[in-house]
């Protein structure tokens, strides 16, 4: 199945090269070898985070683009004295881009909901006799409402309860709490930028291997998972904390339920718990 494939494009090699380059630059500085000071400036950290994130997400990450853009902007302005004349407009422009991104994501959710509803409506039903029409109509109506309600719950909003098989949450300067009730969890992505996400997976289930992408910058993500899941944390953390607070119960771990957590935690925190 598609979800059982592990994505090897996790940016680990890129991160290794970045660490290697930093080490070489520090060594050259100790040897009094000249090189531009901007190579070890803090905007380069943002650029590095952006590059790693984009590589991990196959250059389709809003978080990676944002980090790369901010890094390039501050690098050019502070180190090369580029005057873009937009310094006082940076904050509102950033809010505009974030708003456009959230609207686009909402439209994608609505389109997905519409596609699901079309598939439900397009299902053909066998003809029924007039004596059975009333009963069949009531049953079909109830079934359609139940199916539609489940699909809508899975797609609507980001807080509360969801029946969706995949999770996609972007918490930007906000806090989001969500509980997943699906029995066919297929992973997804979480992005917390200057915000927080609490995701409860204790009522969810799956079989095989699923991937969950997490990106954190000046924020926090808390995951609550069932104690029998095999959770493997493979995130890149930069000036951040990654805490696995699950109780150690090796005898109860199910080898057929492997959750692989990948991503980048930058000046933030990732906490994993179980009860």
């Amino acid at each position: 199945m598609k979800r059982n494939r592990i994505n090897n494009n996790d940016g680990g090699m890129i991160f290794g090269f970045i660490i290697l380059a930093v080490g070489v630059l520090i060594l050259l500085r100790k040897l009094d070898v000249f090189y531009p000071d901007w190579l070890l400036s803090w905007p380069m950290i943002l650029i590095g985070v952006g590059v790693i994130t984009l590589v991990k997400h196959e250059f389709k990450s809003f978080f990676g683009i944002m980090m790369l853009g901010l890094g390039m902007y501050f690098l050019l302005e502070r180190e090369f004295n580029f005057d873009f004349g937009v310094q006082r407009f940076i904050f509102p422009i950033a809010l505009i881009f974030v708003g456009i991104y959230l609207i686009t994501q909402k439209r994608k959710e609505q389109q997905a909901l519409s596609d699901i509803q079309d598939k439900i409506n397009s299902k053909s039903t066998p003809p029924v006799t007039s004596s059975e029409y009333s009963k069949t109509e009531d049953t079909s109506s109830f079934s359609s409402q139940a199916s539609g309600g489940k699909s809508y719950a899975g797609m609507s909003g980001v807080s509360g309860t969801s029946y969706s098989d995949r999770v996609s949450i972007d918490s930007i300067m906000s806090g989001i709490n969500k509980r997943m009730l699906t029995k066919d969890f297929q992973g997804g992505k979480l992005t917390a930028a200057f915000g927080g996400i609490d995701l409860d997976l204790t009522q969810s289930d799956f079989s095989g291997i699923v991937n969950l992408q997490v990106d954190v910058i000046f924020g926090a993500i808390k995951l609550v998972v069932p104690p029998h899941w095999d959770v493997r944390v493979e995130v890149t953390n930069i000036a951040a904390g990654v805490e696995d607070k699950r109780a150690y119960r090796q005898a109860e771990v199910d080898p057929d339920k492997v959750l692989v957590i990948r991503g980048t935690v930058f000046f933030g925190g990732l906490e994993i718990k179980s009860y």
Side-chain angles (χ1 to χ4, degrees):
M1 296 177 64
K2 181 178 180 181
R3 72 165 184 258
N4 290 340
R5 294 181 301 178
I6 297 179
N7 181 15
N8 294 321
N9 187 24
D10 61 357
M13 184 176 294
I14 298 295
F15 181 70
F17 276 115
I18 292 176
I19 295 298
L20 176 62
V22 171
V24 171
L25 291 175
I26 294 176
L27 178 61
L28 293 177
R29 176 63 59 85
K30 297 296 183 181
L31 296 174
D32 294 328
V33 177
F34 173 78
Y35 60 83
D37 292 335
W38 58 265
L39 288 175
L40 287 180
S41 62
W42 67 265
M44 289 298 296
I45 297 178
L46 299 181
I47 294 175
V49 172
V51 170
I52 293 173
T53 304
L54 287 173
V55 170
K56 286 184 177 182
H57 294 81
E58 299 179 351
F59 298 92
K60 298 178 181 178
S61 170
F62 172 77
F63 177 83
I65 294 175
M66 181 176 66
M67 290 295 97
L68 184 60
L70 287 175
M72 292 295 295
Y73 170 79
F74 287 116
L75 180 66
L76 293 175
E77 182 186 52
R78 294 174 177 270
E79 304 297 335
F80 295 94
N81 298 321
F82 275 71
D83 185 7
F84 295 96
V86 295
Q87 184 173 2
R88 57 178 178 164
F89 303 115
I90 285 295
F91 184 69
I93 290 176
L95 291 180
I96 291 172
F97 276 109
V98 170
I100 293 174
Y101 173 74
L102 295 178
I103 292 172
T104 303
Q105 289 296 107
K106 186 61 178 179
R107 287 191 173 183
K108 289 181 180 179
E109 292 179 0
Q110 292 175 346
Q111 183 62 44
L113 176 61
S114 177
D115 292 341
I116 293 174
Q117 192 63 45
D118 291 341
K119 290 180 181 179
I120 294 174
N121 295 334
S122 64
K123 290 183 179 179
S124 59
T125 56
V128 295
T129 61
S130 58
S131 61
E132 298 175 345
Y133 176 79
S134 176
K135 181 178 179 180
T136 305
E137 182 181 28
D138 293 340
T139 304
S140 299
S141 175
F142 174 78
S143 175
S144 176
Q145 290 176 359
S147 300
K150 181 176 180 180
S151 298
Y152 182 77
M155 291 294 176
S156 61
V158 291
S159 291
T161 302
S162 171
Y163 294 90
S164 176
D165 293 336
R166 293 188 62 84
V167 60
S168 178
I169 301 177
D170 297 304
S171 174
I172 302 174
M173 291 182 290
S174 63
I176 295 174
N177 295 277
K178 194 166 190 176
R179 175 181 291 116
M180 304 289 293
L181 300 182
T182 176
K183 300 305 178 182
D184 187 25
F185 183 58
Q186 298 179 12
K189 67 181 184 67
L190 306 174
T191 302
F194 299 94
I197 299 175
D198 284 358
L199 180 62
D200 186 352
L201 297 171
T202 54
Q203 303 302 314
S204 300
D205 197 10
F206 70 96
S207 294
I209 302 175
V210 297
N211 295 307
L212 181 64
Q213 293 284 347
V214 297
D215 290 310
V216 183
I217 174 172
F218 296 102
I221 292 180
K222 176 182 176 182
L223 301 176
V224 184
V225 301
H228 64 283
W229 284 11
D230 182 2
V231 181
R232 304 178 185 179
V233 182
E234 301 178 5
V235 301
T236 300
N237 57 313
I238 303 173
V242 178
E243 297 182 274
D244 189 346
K245 295 185 177 180
R246 294 174 296 148
Y248 182 75
R249 301 174 182 175
Q250 183 63 39
E252 300 180 9
V253 172
D254 189 344
D256 191 42
K257 303 182 187 298
V258 181
L259 175 64
V260 182
I261 302 176
R262 305 173 184 273
T264 304
V265 183
F266 178 71
F267 283 97
L270 171 64
E271 181 181 342
I272 305 169
K273 299 182 68 175
S274 63
Y275 300 109

